[in-house]
Amino acid sequence: MTNLPVPPDAVTPAGDGKATCSSGISIAYAGAETGANAQLGINIYNGVQLAVNQHNKANPGCQVAFKKFDTEGDPGKAPGVVTQVVNEPDILGAIGLPFSGESKATGQIFQQAGLVHLTPSATNPSLTKNGWTTFFRALGNDSVQGPAAAKFITGKLQAKKVCVIQDDSDYGIGLATAINGALGGAAADCQDKVTTGQKDFSAVVSKIINAKPDAVFYSGYYAEGAPLDQQLVNKGYTGTFVGPDGVKDDQFIKLAGDASGNAFFTCPCVPGELLPTFADAYKGVSGGAAPGTYSLEGYDSATILLKGIDSGIKDRAGLLQFVKNYNADGFSKHFQWDATGELATTAVYGYKVENGKIVYVGTIS
């Protein structure tokens, strides 16, 4: 694979090393550290940790603390956790929440507290339609990913018939709506639903096998997507299995085993492993693991908050205003938001499993 260039003007956490700030200032990560799909949160958390480490090492006059809060990715537990976050006055900004369901359940808590938060991964389009002024999405939403995935499946993969299977999360439902709209007739006759925590997919597998699709698109997370793919292949399915960002993780390969060889992914995320300087540094905070899905977006999101603190901001209102007016390159993309918290420009990328590894296949939108 060819390495990707870092934008020449990309903002770095270290800056010029001359920052000064008040003591007792923190940023936070709120999201999954444990739970069925925890790896997607851990990828982000590690990226944030790297940014904070690099910042503090380079800037002795500005030491920013990093606090972590585990939601388990559970929309039922997240409001209590986020209430803890907003009640700690030293926290000026937050990274999270990773998943759309927990983001929906907590956005108003952040709003009432005036605490800016950047999500590196929650993609349900409705999240920016709630009137929140503290929510910023550091990637493209599923109104972008859905059509891109449809184009990838019917164009690059040349699928004539597609089965769309969705889970019961806000993320899965929203993305399935987007891709179904883009696929049109290609998926009209093959739809089904699964539930979070489901283990036995025999009824869904039978429906898919009988439909004889060229491709299956699974709209959900890897915890259910991996066993679904495995059970499909075990029953003789020979088509392709396509998952979105919620499925694109090495945990999918681990859980699906050899069946994962038929898998492709779409993701509005830049492959951090293809930026050598970032990838090498990341291994220092991840126990040697390569960057994963949204590691780079977590890193860039933290960098933006740190840049605001370095500029002399000492309170939540100031940091919120700083993010609203932000306009600069990160390692993953250009960051500038509209009034709703959506990025002005976005892209979607394709990946596939090859020899037991997830490899980048290029920009698809």
Side-chain angles (χ1 to χ4, degrees):
M1 292 185 291
T2 303
N3 290 329
L4 299 176
V6 174
D9 296 323
V11 177
T12 66
D16 61 8
K18 300 177 181 178
T20 59
C21 63
S22 304
S23 60
I25 288 177
S26 304
I27 64 172
Y29 163 80
E33 295 177 58
T34 60
N37 293 292
Q39 191 60 49
L40 295 169
I42 292 168
N43 294 341
I44 295 168
Y45 160 92
N46 284 336
V48 177
Q49 185 69 70
L50 175 60
V52 172
N53 289 357
Q54 291 180 338
H55 172 272
N56 289 348
K57 181 178 180 181
N59 294 277
C62 184
Q63 297 295 291
V64 179
F66 178 32
K67 295 185 173 181
K68 306 96 179 175
F69 299 81
D70 185 11
T71 65
E72 301 176 41
D74 186 337
K77 296 179 180 178
V81 175
V82 169
T83 298
Q84 295 176 41
V85 175
V86 302
N87 283 341
E88 298 200 14
D90 59 299
I91 296 174
L92 302 190
I95 309 300
L97 282 67
F99 304 142
S100 293
E102 57 179 357
S103 294
K104 178 181 177 181
T106 57
Q108 190 59 32
I109 301 172
F110 283 112
Q111 178 70 21
Q112 290 173 343
L115 182 62
V116 63
H117 57 119
L118 283 66
T119 177
S121 58
T123 52
N124 187 294
S126 68
L127 292 172
T128 53
K129 299 175 183 177
N130 294 296
W132 302 331
T133 58
T134 53
F135 177 88
F136 296 83
R137 198 188 324 254
L139 71 164
N141 68 32
D142 290 330
S143 293
V144 177
Q145 184 174 195
K151 178 182 177 183
F152 181 64
I153 292 167
T154 59
K156 175 89 172 172
L157 303 182
Q158 298 185 320
K160 304 299 183 185
K161 186 172 186 178
V162 185
C163 285
V164 176
I165 313 299
Q166 70 178 56
D167 74 2
D168 55 358
S169 68
D170 284 291
Y171 164 67
I173 293 167
L175 180 55
T177 299
I179 193 168
N180 278 325
L183 283 171
D189 299 324
C190 189
Q191 304 279 324
D192 212 341
K193 299 178 180 180
V194 303
T195 58
T196 301
Q198 186 170 337
K199 305 296 183 186
D200 181 0
F201 298 94
S202 55
V204 181
V205 167
S206 293
K207 185 171 183 177
I208 294 171
I209 295 293
N210 290 336
K212 298 181 174 63
D214 304 301
V216 170
F217 183 84
Y218 179 70
S219 186
Y221 296 103
Y222 65 72
E224 291 77 34
L228 172 59
D229 186 29
Q230 186 179 58
Q231 291 173 39
L232 272 169
V233 172
N234 288 346
K235 288 295 184 180
Y237 175 68
T238 58
T240 53
F241 184 92
V242 184
D245 47 310
V247 179
K248 182 197 161 280
D249 191 88
D250 286 340
Q251 286 294 312
F252 172 85
I253 299 173
K254 181 178 179 180
L255 294 171
D258 291 342
S260 64
N262 70 346
F264 290 78
F265 310 100
T266 63
C267 187
C269 57
V270 175
E273 67 273 15
L274 298 188
L275 282 72
T277 55
F278 172 76
D280 291 345
Y282 181 88
K283 291 176 182 178
V285 298
S286 66
T293 303
Y294 297 128
S295 294
L296 194 57
E297 282 75 11
Y299 179 82
D300 277 341
S301 295
T303 298
I304 292 168
L305 297 182
L306 293 166
K307 186 72 173 178
I309 293 169
D310 286 353
S311 74
I313 289 167
K314 300 178 181 179
D315 56 27
R316 291 178 176 181
L319 193 54
L320 173 58
Q321 198 61 36
F322 178 85
V323 175
K324 282 183 178 179
N325 296 321
Y326 197 80
N327 182 6
D329 284 339
F331 276 52
S332 64
K333 59 181 72 68
H334 187 80
F335 289 92
Q336 182 181 22
W337 286 277
D338 67 18
T340 71
E342 295 283 15
L343 285 174
T345 57
T346 60
V348 181
Y349 307 90
Y351 300 83
K352 67 177 179 179
V353 175
E354 187 175 273
N355 298 322
K357 298 288 185 182
I358 297 173
V359 299
Y360 174 66
V361 298
T363 304
I364 61 175
S365 173

